[in-house]
Amino acid sequence: MDGQVFGALGQPGVGFFMAIIIGALAGWLAEKFTSANMGLFANILLGIIGGVVGNFLAAQLHIPVYGFWRNLISASIGAIILITIYRAVRGTRSTY
């Protein structure tokens, strides 16, 4: 470690409550994009986990993620990836 302090989602300046807000929005966006039917708690949980996945993938691709909008985009992409993997494992399809 280089002594840098990171907040929630591994990003400086993102506190606990902001991580919940970003997670809820990202989960909701992923839910709408994939036509999934989940509740508020699942959206928040999926968005926060998706934020970790999205930030990890962005770091692997050397894409800087900072600020509200970039965190929201990376969390949404991560949540969409998680929903897609979950559906592939379960063998369920979306209903339109």
Side-chain angles (χ1 to χ4, degrees), residues 33-35 87 93-96:
F33 186 78
T34 60
S35 299
R87 285 183 174 169
R93 294 179 181 237
S94 62
T95 57
Y96 297 102

Side-chain angles (χ1 to χ4, degrees), residues 23 27 38-47:
M38 301 178 296
L40 177 64
F41 180 72
N43 283 344
I44 293 171
L45 186 64
L46 187 66

Side-chain angles (χ1 to χ4, degrees), residues 14-90:
V14 178
F16 179 73
F17 292 112
M18 187 56 74
I20 292 176
I21 292 171
I22 291 172
L25 288 172
W28 180 78
L29 287 172
E31 177 186 42
K32 297 302 177 193
F33 186 78
T34 60
S35 299
N37 189 12
M38 301 178 296
L40 177 64
F41 180 72
N43 283 344
I44 293 171
L45 186 64
L46 187 66
I48 290 173
I49 296 170
V52 173
V53 170
N55 287 332
F56 174 77
L57 292 175
Q60 297 303 312
L61 297 172
H62 302 291
I63 299 171
V65 178
Y66 54 86
F68 177 80
W69 294 109
R70 289 187 182 193
N71 275 313
L72 181 61
I73 291 169
S74 70
S76 297
I77 290 171
I80 289 169
I81 291 170
L82 289 175
I83 291 173
T84 305
I85 290 171
Y86 176 75
R87 285 183 174 169
V89 169
R90 290 271 319 227

